[in-house]
PDB file of all heavy atoms in Angstrom:
ATOM      1  N   SER A  17       4.980  14.846  -6.309  1.00 95.00           N
ATOM      2  CA  SER A  17       6.332  14.229  -6.150  1.00 95.00           C
ATOM      3  C   SER A  17       6.544  13.467  -4.843  1.00 95.00           C
ATOM      4  O   SER A  17       7.395  12.647  -4.704  1.00 95.00           O
ATOM      5  CB  SER A  17       7.407  15.249  -6.386  1.00 95.00           C
ATOM      6  OG  SER A  17       7.345  16.248  -5.404  1.00 95.00           O
ATOM      7  N   GLY A  18       5.679  13.896  -3.877  1.00 96.00           N
ATOM      8  CA  GLY A  18       5.866  13.273  -2.552  1.00 96.00           C
ATOM      9  C   GLY A  18       4.920  12.069  -2.326  1.00 96.00           C
ATOM     10  O   GLY A  18       4.754  11.575  -1.257  1.00 96.00           O
ATOM     11  N   GLY A  19       4.324  11.565  -3.422  1.00 98.00           N
ATOM     12  CA  GLY A  19       3.299  10.482  -3.327  1.00 98.00           C
ATOM     13  C   GLY A  19       3.979   9.115  -2.998  1.00 98.00           C
ATOM     14  O   GLY A  19       5.210   8.930  -3.195  1.00 98.00           O
ATOM     15  N   THR A  20       3.184   8.207  -2.463  1.00 98.00           N
ATOM     16  CA  THR A  20       3.633   6.896  -2.045  1.00 98.00           C
ATOM     17  C   THR A  20       3.155   5.865  -3.116  1.00 98.00           C
ATOM     18  O   THR A  20       1.958   5.805  -3.387  1.00 98.00           O
ATOM     19  CB  THR A  20       3.109   6.534  -0.691  1.00 98.00           C
ATOM     20  OG1 THR A  20       3.558   7.471   0.286  1.00 98.00           O
ATOM     21  CG2 THR A  20       3.537   5.197  -0.295  1.00 98.00           C
ATOM     22  N   PHE A  21       4.130   5.045  -3.641  1.00 98.00           N
ATOM     23  CA  PHE A  21       3.844   4.070  -4.657  1.00 98.00           C
ATOM     24  C   PHE A  21       4.637   2.775  -4.428  1.00 98.00           C
ATOM     25  O   PHE A  21       5.714   2.824  -3.874  1.00 98.00           O
ATOM     26  CB  PHE A  21       4.137   4.642  -6.077  1.00 98.00           C
ATOM     27  CG  PHE A  21       3.390   5.823  -6.423  1.00 98.00           C
ATOM     28  CD1 PHE A  21       3.894   7.087  -6.113  1.00 98.00           C
ATOM     29  CD2 PHE A  21       2.125   5.687  -6.975  1.00 98.00           C
ATOM     30  CE1 PHE A  21       3.084   8.179  -6.402  1.00 98.00           C
ATOM     31  CE2 PHE A  21       1.380   6.812  -7.394  1.00 98.00           C
ATOM     32  CZ  PHE A  21       1.865   8.086  -7.027  1.00 98.00           C
ATOM     33  N   SER A  22       3.990   1.702  -4.753  1.00 97.00           N
ATOM     34  CA  SER A  22       4.627   0.367  -4.655  1.00 97.00           C
ATOM     35  C   SER A  22       5.531   0.057  -5.762  1.00 97.00           C
ATOM     36  O   SER A  22       6.337  -0.891  -5.756  1.00 97.00           O
ATOM     37  CB  SER A  22       3.560  -0.814  -4.466  1.00 97.00           C
ATOM     38  OG  SER A  22       2.738  -0.769  -5.619  1.00 97.00           O
ATOM     39  N   ASN A  23       5.359   0.824  -6.895  1.00 93.00           N
ATOM     40  CA  ASN A  23       6.103   0.555  -8.107  1.00 93.00           C
ATOM     41  C   ASN A  23       5.833  -0.801  -8.680  1.00 93.00           C
ATOM     42  O   ASN A  23       6.682  -1.418  -9.289  1.00 93.00           O
ATOM     43  CB  ASN A  23       7.629   0.778  -7.976  1.00 93.00           C
ATOM     44  CG  ASN A  23       7.970   2.244  -7.660  1.00 93.00           C
ATOM     45  OD1 ASN A  23       7.458   3.145  -8.269  1.00 93.00           O
ATOM     46  ND2 ASN A  23       8.740   2.421  -6.610  1.00 93.00           N
ATOM     47  N   SER A  24       4.654  -1.322  -8.405  1.00 88.00           N
ATOM     48  CA  SER A  24       4.274  -2.652  -8.920  1.00 88.00           C
ATOM     49  C   SER A  24       2.748  -2.689  -8.733  1.00 88.00           C
ATOM     50  O   SER A  24       2.178  -2.159  -7.864  1.00 88.00           O
ATOM     51  CB  SER A  24       4.947  -3.710  -8.068  1.00 88.00           C
ATOM     52  OG  SER A  24       4.352  -5.014  -8.384  1.00 88.00           O
ATOM     53  N   PHE A  25       2.106  -3.528  -9.698  1.00 85.00           N
ATOM     54  CA  PHE A  25       0.700  -3.821  -9.552  1.00 85.00           C
ATOM     55  C   PHE A  25       0.467  -5.208  -9.101  1.00 85.00           C
ATOM     56  O   PHE A  25      -0.669  -5.772  -9.059  1.00 85.00           O
ATOM     57  CB  PHE A  25      -0.041  -3.589 -10.875  1.00 85.00           C
ATOM     58  CG  PHE A  25      -0.068  -2.133 -11.308  1.00 85.00           C
ATOM     59  CD1 PHE A  25       0.683  -1.670 -12.364  1.00 85.00           C
ATOM     60  CD2 PHE A  25      -0.878  -1.268 -10.646  1.00 85.00           C
ATOM     61  CE1 PHE A  25       0.613  -0.294 -12.678  1.00 85.00           C
ATOM     62  CE2 PHE A  25      -1.016   0.100 -11.004  1.00 85.00           C
ATOM     63  CZ  PHE A  25      -0.229   0.513 -12.036  1.00 85.00           C
ATOM     64  N   VAL A  26       1.568  -5.926  -8.738  1.00 83.00           N
ATOM     65  CA  VAL A  26       1.403  -7.421  -8.352  1.00 83.00           C
ATOM     66  C   VAL A  26       2.070  -7.684  -7.071  1.00 83.00           C
ATOM     67  O   VAL A  26       1.934  -8.774  -6.452  1.00 83.00           O
ATOM     68  CB  VAL A  26       1.863  -8.280  -9.413  1.00 83.00           C
ATOM     69  CG1 VAL A  26       1.088  -8.149 -10.741  1.00 83.00           C
ATOM     70  CG2 VAL A  26       3.346  -8.063  -9.710  1.00 83.00           C
ATOM     71  N   ASP A  27       2.950  -6.767  -6.526  1.00 91.00           N
ATOM     72  CA  ASP A  27       3.748  -7.047  -5.309  1.00 91.00           C
ATOM     73  C   ASP A  27       2.852  -6.864  -4.034  1.00 91.00           C
ATOM     74  O   ASP A  27       2.804  -5.759  -3.503  1.00 91.00           O
ATOM     75  CB  ASP A  27       4.931  -6.151  -5.268  1.00 91.00           C
ATOM     76  CG  ASP A  27       5.944  -6.492  -4.234  1.00 91.00           C
ATOM     77  OD1 ASP A  27       5.593  -7.249  -3.341  1.00 91.00           O
ATOM     78  OD2 ASP A  27       7.137  -6.097  -4.358  1.00 91.00           O
ATOM     79  N   GLN A  28       2.314  -7.857  -3.549  1.00 94.00           N
ATOM     80  CA  GLN A  28       1.434  -7.835  -2.361  1.00 94.00           C
ATOM     81  C   GLN A  28       2.292  -7.501  -1.097  1.00 94.00           C
ATOM     82  O   GLN A  28       1.797  -6.853  -0.153  1.00 94.00           O
ATOM     83  CB  GLN A  28       0.686  -9.112  -2.190  1.00 94.00           C
ATOM     84  CG  GLN A  28      -0.324  -9.304  -3.312  1.00 94.00           C
ATOM     85  CD  GLN A  28      -1.192 -10.524  -3.097  1.00 94.00           C
ATOM     86  OE1 GLN A  28      -1.627 -10.841  -1.927  1.00 94.00           O
ATOM     87  NE2 GLN A  28      -1.417 -11.324  -4.161  1.00 94.00           N
ATOM     88  N   ALA A  29       3.464  -8.012  -1.047  1.00 97.00           N
ATOM     89  CA  ALA A  29       4.307  -7.714   0.127  1.00 97.00           C
ATOM     90  C   ALA A  29       4.619  -6.196   0.266  1.00 97.00           C
ATOM     91  O   ALA A  29       4.525  -5.641   1.341  1.00 97.00           O
ATOM     92  CB  ALA A  29       5.630  -8.462   0.002  1.00 97.00           C
ATOM     93  N   ALA A  30       4.888  -5.578  -0.860  1.00 98.00           N
ATOM     94  CA  ALA A  30       5.098  -4.115  -0.849  1.00 98.00           C
ATOM     95  C   ALA A  30       3.863  -3.417  -0.414  1.00 98.00           C
ATOM     96  O   ALA A  30       3.912  -2.411   0.260  1.00 98.00           O
ATOM     97  CB  ALA A  30       5.536  -3.717  -2.238  1.00 98.00           C
ATOM     98  N   GLY A  31       2.746  -3.875  -0.956  1.00 97.00           N
ATOM     99  CA  GLY A  31       1.414  -3.282  -0.640  1.00 97.00           C
ATOM    100  C   GLY A  31       1.116  -3.394   0.881  1.00 97.00           C
ATOM    101  O   GLY A  31       0.631  -2.419   1.499  1.00 97.00           O
ATOM    102  N   ARG A  32       1.408  -4.482   1.453  1.00 98.00           N
ATOM    103  CA  ARG A  32       1.194  -4.650   2.919  1.00 98.00           C
ATOM    104  C   ARG A  32       2.118  -3.749   3.753  1.00 98.00           C
ATOM    105  O   ARG A  32       1.674  -3.124   4.663  1.00 98.00           O
ATOM    106  CB  ARG A  32       1.447  -6.132   3.288  1.00 98.00           C
ATOM    107  CG  ARG A  32       1.274  -6.331   4.848  1.00 98.00           C
ATOM    108  CD  ARG A  32       1.251  -7.834   5.210  1.00 98.00           C
ATOM    109  NE  ARG A  32       1.141  -7.926   6.666  1.00 98.00           N
ATOM    110  CZ  ARG A  32       0.846  -9.082   7.239  1.00 98.00           C
ATOM    111  NH1 ARG A  32       0.649 -10.184   6.565  1.00 98.00           N
ATOM    112  NH2 ARG A  32       0.727  -9.153   8.557  1.00 98.00           N
ATOM    113  N   SER A  33       3.402  -3.702   3.276  1.00 98.00           N
ATOM    114  CA  SER A  33       4.362  -2.919   4.036  1.00 98.00           C
ATOM    115  C   SER A  33       4.005  -1.399   3.960  1.00 98.00           C
ATOM    116  O   SER A  33       4.028  -0.716   5.020  1.00 98.00           O
ATOM    117  CB  SER A  33       5.744  -3.080   3.369  1.00 98.00           C
ATOM    118  OG  SER A  33       6.701  -2.276   4.020  1.00 98.00           O
ATOM    119  N   ILE A  34       3.611  -0.925   2.768  1.00 98.00           N
ATOM    120  CA  ILE A  34       3.224   0.487   2.712  1.00 98.00           C
ATOM    121  C   ILE A  34       1.979   0.745   3.567  1.00 98.00           C
ATOM    122  O   ILE A  34       1.947   1.780   4.320  1.00 98.00           O
ATOM    123  CB  ILE A  34       2.850   0.810   1.208  1.00 98.00           C
ATOM    124  CG1 ILE A  34       4.174   0.845   0.367  1.00 98.00           C
ATOM    125  CG2 ILE A  34       2.140   2.161   1.133  1.00 98.00           C
ATOM    126  CD1 ILE A  34       3.976   1.000  -1.075  1.00 98.00           C
ATOM    127  N   THR A  35       1.000  -0.114   3.527  1.00 98.00           N
ATOM    128  CA  THR A  35      -0.229   0.102   4.286  1.00 98.00           C
ATOM    129  C   THR A  35       0.077   0.045   5.777  1.00 98.00           C
ATOM    130  O   THR A  35      -0.475   0.898   6.524  1.00 98.00           O
ATOM    131  CB  THR A  35      -1.274  -0.959   3.934  1.00 98.00           C
ATOM    132  OG1 THR A  35      -1.499  -0.957   2.478  1.00 98.00           O
ATOM    133  CG2 THR A  35      -2.566  -0.731   4.688  1.00 98.00           C
ATOM    134  N   GLU A  36       0.928  -0.835   6.201  1.00 98.00           N
ATOM    135  CA  GLU A  36       1.211  -0.946   7.613  1.00 98.00           C
ATOM    136  C   GLU A  36       2.057   0.368   8.058  1.00 98.00           C
ATOM    137  O   GLU A  36       1.840   0.817   9.133  1.00 98.00           O
ATOM    138  CB  GLU A  36       2.112  -2.121   7.921  1.00 98.00           C
ATOM    139  CG  GLU A  36       1.278  -3.386   7.829  1.00 98.00           C
ATOM    140  CD  GLU A  36       2.063  -4.683   8.027  1.00 98.00           C
ATOM    141  OE1 GLU A  36       3.340  -4.620   7.867  1.00 98.00           O
ATOM    142  OE2 GLU A  36       1.451  -5.719   8.347  1.00 98.00           O
ATOM    143  N   THR A  37       2.856   0.924   7.150  1.00 98.00           N
ATOM    144  CA  THR A  37       3.570   2.141   7.467  1.00 98.00           C
ATOM    145  C   THR A  37       2.555   3.323   7.646  1.00 98.00           C
ATOM    146  O   THR A  37       2.681   4.126   8.584  1.00 98.00           O
ATOM    147  CB  THR A  37       4.507   2.508   6.356  1.00 98.00           C
ATOM    148  OG1 THR A  37       5.562   1.467   6.280  1.00 98.00           O
ATOM    149  CG2 THR A  37       5.213   3.830   6.613  1.00 98.00           C
ATOM    150  N   LEU A  38       1.532   3.366   6.756  1.00 98.00           N
ATOM    151  CA  LEU A  38       0.569   4.520   6.860  1.00 98.00           C
ATOM    152  C   LEU A  38      -0.215   4.331   8.160  1.00 98.00           C
ATOM    153  O   LEU A  38      -0.548   5.328   8.857  1.00 98.00           O
ATOM    154  CB  LEU A  38      -0.385   4.418   5.651  1.00 98.00           C
ATOM    155  CG  LEU A  38       0.295   4.780   4.291  1.00 98.00           C
ATOM    156  CD1 LEU A  38      -0.768   4.696   3.166  1.00 98.00           C
ATOM    157  CD2 LEU A  38       0.956   6.121   4.305  1.00 98.00           C
ATOM    158  N   ALA A  39      -0.551   3.005   8.463  1.00 98.00           N
ATOM    159  CA  ALA A  39      -1.291   2.778   9.720  1.00 98.00           C
ATOM    160  C   ALA A  39      -0.440   3.160  10.916  1.00 98.00           C
ATOM    161  O   ALA A  39      -1.014   3.761  11.885  1.00 98.00           O
ATOM    162  CB  ALA A  39      -1.712   1.282   9.826  1.00 98.00           C
ATOM    163  N   SER A  40       0.853   2.917  10.893  1.00 98.00           N
ATOM    164  CA  SER A  40       1.724   3.282  12.027  1.00 98.00           C
ATOM    165  C   SER A  40       1.760   4.807  12.211  1.00 98.00           C
ATOM    166  O   SER A  40       2.052   5.284  13.316  1.00 98.00           O
ATOM    167  CB  SER A  40       3.141   2.698  11.771  1.00 98.00           C
ATOM    168  OG  SER A  40       3.816   3.413  10.812  1.00 98.00           O
ATOM    169  N   GLN A  41       1.476   5.574  11.180  1.00 98.00           N
ATOM    170  CA  GLN A  41       1.476   6.989  11.200  1.00 98.00           C
ATOM    171  C   GLN A  41       0.076   7.588  11.517  1.00 98.00           C
ATOM    172  O   GLN A  41      -0.065   8.761  11.501  1.00 98.00           O
ATOM    173  CB  GLN A  41       1.983   7.535   9.855  1.00 98.00           C
ATOM    174  CG  GLN A  41       3.408   7.213   9.517  1.00 98.00           C
ATOM    175  CD  GLN A  41       3.802   7.557   8.082  1.00 98.00           C
ATOM    176  OE1 GLN A  41       2.942   7.891   7.266  1.00 98.00           O
ATOM    177  NE2 GLN A  41       5.083   7.424   7.820  1.00 98.00           N
ATOM    178  N   GLY A  42      -0.859   6.661  11.833  1.00 98.00           N
ATOM    179  CA  GLY A  42      -2.136   7.138  12.275  1.00 98.00           C
ATOM    180  C   GLY A  42      -3.365   6.872  11.429  1.00 98.00           C
ATOM    181  O   GLY A  42      -4.504   7.070  11.799  1.00 98.00           O
ATOM    182  N   ALA A  43      -3.098   6.431  10.154  1.00 98.00           N
ATOM    183  CA  ALA A  43      -4.197   6.177   9.239  1.00 98.00           C
ATOM    184  C   ALA A  43      -5.021   5.010   9.659  1.00 98.00           C
ATOM    185  O   ALA A  43      -4.521   3.860   9.902  1.00 98.00           O
ATOM    186  CB  ALA A  43      -3.734   5.996   7.849  1.00 98.00           C
ATOM    187  N   ASP A  44      -6.336   5.127   9.765  1.00 98.00           N
ATOM    188  CA  ASP A  44      -7.164   4.024  10.090  1.00 98.00           C
ATOM    189  C   ASP A  44      -8.067   3.678   8.934  1.00 98.00           C
ATOM    190  O   ASP A  44      -8.839   2.643   8.994  1.00 98.00           O
ATOM    191  CB  ASP A  44      -7.999   4.282  11.346  1.00 98.00           C
ATOM    192  CG  ASP A  44      -9.004   5.455  11.207  1.00 98.00           C
ATOM    193  OD1 ASP A  44      -8.830   6.285  10.234  1.00 98.00           O
ATOM    194  OD2 ASP A  44      -9.898   5.569  12.055  1.00 98.00           O
ATOM    195  N   ILE A  45      -7.980   4.337   7.848  1.00 98.00           N
ATOM    196  CA  ILE A  45      -8.684   4.043   6.583  1.00 98.00           C
ATOM    197  C   ILE A  45      -7.686   4.273   5.460  1.00 98.00           C
ATOM    198  O   ILE A  45      -7.086   5.397   5.413  1.00 98.00           O
ATOM    199  CB  ILE A  45      -9.948   4.816   6.362  1.00 98.00           C
ATOM    200  CG1 ILE A  45     -10.996   4.598   7.507  1.00 98.00           C
ATOM    201  CG2 ILE A  45     -10.615   4.473   5.008  1.00 98.00           C
ATOM    202  CD1 ILE A  45     -12.159   5.507   7.436  1.00 98.00           C
ATOM    203  N   VAL A  46      -7.472   3.295   4.542  1.00 98.00           N
ATOM    204  CA  VAL A  46      -6.540   3.427   3.468  1.00 98.00           C
ATOM    205  C   VAL A  46      -7.142   3.017   2.157  1.00 98.00           C
ATOM    206  O   VAL A  46      -7.903   1.956   2.166  1.00 98.00           O
ATOM    207  CB  VAL A  46      -5.258   2.606   3.731  1.00 98.00           C
ATOM    208  CG1 VAL A  46      -4.281   2.557   2.517  1.00 98.00           C
ATOM    209  CG2 VAL A  46      -4.502   3.117   4.973  1.00 98.00           C
ATOM    210  N   MET A  47      -6.901   3.740   1.102  1.00 98.00           N
ATOM    211  CA  MET A  47      -7.361   3.384  -0.227  1.00 98.00           C
ATOM    212  C   MET A  47      -6.183   3.031  -1.142  1.00 98.00           C
ATOM    213  O   MET A  47      -5.480   3.946  -1.644  1.00 98.00           O
ATOM    214  CB  MET A  47      -8.198   4.484  -0.882  1.00 98.00           C
ATOM    215  CG  MET A  47      -8.812   4.065  -2.233  1.00 98.00           C
ATOM    216  SD  MET A  47      -9.813   5.395  -3.026  1.00 98.00           S
ATOM    217  CE  MET A  47      -8.401   6.351  -3.773  1.00 98.00           C
ATOM    218  N   PRO A  48      -5.881   1.749  -1.376  1.00 97.00           N
ATOM    219  CA  PRO A  48      -4.835   1.359  -2.312  1.00 97.00           C
ATOM    220  C   PRO A  48      -5.361   1.424  -3.768  1.00 97.00           C
ATOM    221  O   PRO A  48      -6.484   1.028  -4.063  1.00 97.00           O
ATOM    222  CB  PRO A  48      -4.522  -0.083  -1.941  1.00 97.00           C
ATOM    223  CG  PRO A  48      -5.787  -0.644  -1.394  1.00 97.00           C
ATOM    224  CD  PRO A  48      -6.536   0.596  -0.695  1.00 97.00           C
ATOM    225  N   VAL A  49      -4.488   1.967  -4.668  1.00 94.00           N
ATOM    226  CA  VAL A  49      -4.915   1.986  -6.048  1.00 94.00           C
ATOM    227  C   VAL A  49      -3.763   1.275  -6.858  1.00 94.00           C
ATOM    228  O   VAL A  49      -2.945   1.909  -7.489  1.00 94.00           O
ATOM    229  CB  VAL A  49      -4.969   3.487  -6.530  1.00 94.00           C
ATOM    230  CG1 VAL A  49      -5.568   3.569  -7.939  1.00 94.00           C
ATOM    231  CG2 VAL A  49      -5.814   4.359  -5.533  1.00 94.00           C
ATOM    232  N   ALA A  50      -3.789  -0.058  -6.738  1.00 91.00           N
ATOM    233  CA  ALA A  50      -2.575  -0.749  -7.234  1.00 91.00           C
ATOM    234  C   ALA A  50      -2.849  -2.186  -7.605  1.00 91.00           C
ATOM    235  O   ALA A  50      -2.002  -3.055  -7.529  1.00 91.00           O
ATOM    236  CB  ALA A  50      -1.529  -0.837  -6.120  1.00 91.00           C
ATOM    237  N   GLY A  51      -4.127  -2.493  -8.080  1.00 86.00           N
ATOM    238  CA  GLY A  51      -4.376  -3.818  -8.497  1.00 86.00           C
ATOM    239  C   GLY A  51      -4.121  -4.882  -7.465  1.00 86.00           C
ATOM    240  O   GLY A  51      -4.505  -4.663  -6.276  1.00 86.00           O
ATOM    241  N   GLN A  52      -3.466  -5.984  -7.810  1.00 85.00           N
ATOM    242  CA  GLN A  52      -3.214  -7.056  -6.869  1.00 85.00           C
ATOM    243  C   GLN A  52      -2.261  -6.614  -5.692  1.00 85.00           C
ATOM    244  O   GLN A  52      -2.332  -7.182  -4.657  1.00 85.00           O
ATOM    245  CB  GLN A  52      -2.734  -8.291  -7.547  1.00 85.00           C
ATOM    246  CG  GLN A  52      -2.787  -9.482  -6.643  1.00 85.00           C
ATOM    247  CD  GLN A  52      -2.528 -10.789  -7.352  1.00 85.00           C
ATOM    248  OE1 GLN A  52      -2.257 -10.793  -8.531  1.00 85.00           O
ATOM    249  NE2 GLN A  52      -2.592 -11.893  -6.717  1.00 85.00           N
ATOM    250  N   SER A  53      -1.453  -5.614  -5.919  1.00 91.00           N
ATOM    251  CA  SER A  53      -0.635  -5.161  -4.851  1.00 91.00           C
ATOM    252  C   SER A  53      -1.482  -4.673  -3.688  1.00 91.00           C
ATOM    253  O   SER A  53      -1.141  -4.731  -2.503  1.00 91.00           O
ATOM    254  CB  SER A  53       0.252  -3.958  -5.302  1.00 91.00           C
ATOM    255  OG  SER A  53       1.303  -4.347  -6.155  1.00 91.00           O
ATOM    256  N   GLY A  54      -2.675  -4.191  -4.065  1.00 93.00           N
ATOM    257  CA  GLY A  54      -3.601  -3.718  -3.040  1.00 93.00           C
ATOM    258  C   GLY A  54      -4.134  -4.850  -2.124  1.00 93.00           C
ATOM    259  O   GLY A  54      -4.572  -4.572  -1.010  1.00 93.00           O
ATOM    260  N   LEU A  55      -3.997  -6.104  -2.613  1.00 94.00           N
ATOM    261  CA  LEU A  55      -4.384  -7.233  -1.695  1.00 94.00           C
ATOM    262  C   LEU A  55      -3.488  -7.213  -0.485  1.00 94.00           C
ATOM    263  O   LEU A  55      -3.865  -7.795   0.597  1.00 94.00           O
ATOM    264  CB  LEU A  55      -4.305  -8.545  -2.433  1.00 94.00           C
ATOM    265  CG  LEU A  55      -5.367  -8.663  -3.602  1.00 94.00           C
ATOM    266  CD1 LEU A  55      -5.118  -9.970  -4.333  1.00 94.00           C
ATOM    267  CD2 LEU A  55      -6.763  -8.581  -3.083  1.00 94.00           C
ATOM    268  N   GLY A  56      -2.258  -6.708  -0.598  1.00 96.00           N
ATOM    269  CA  GLY A  56      -1.427  -6.616   0.554  1.00 96.00           C
ATOM    270  C   GLY A  56      -2.019  -5.708   1.634  1.00 96.00           C
ATOM    271  O   GLY A  56      -1.789  -5.932   2.852  1.00 96.00           O
ATOM    272  N   ALA A  57      -2.783  -4.697   1.252  1.00 98.00           N
ATOM    273  CA  ALA A  57      -3.427  -3.802   2.174  1.00 98.00           C
ATOM    274  C   ALA A  57      -4.521  -4.669   2.924  1.00 98.00           C
ATOM    275  O   ALA A  57      -4.779  -4.433   4.115  1.00 98.00           O
ATOM    276  CB  ALA A  57      -4.121  -2.675   1.491  1.00 98.00           C
TER     277      ALA A  57
END
């Protein structure tokens, strides 16, 4: 229930925002599972 999702498989802006948030929290490797939304990563 605490997972992070873009709620879209095409929203690249949301994908970029989520990835940047994870990076700001210290993540230096991220695996997006979101189709084209993952291109935002």
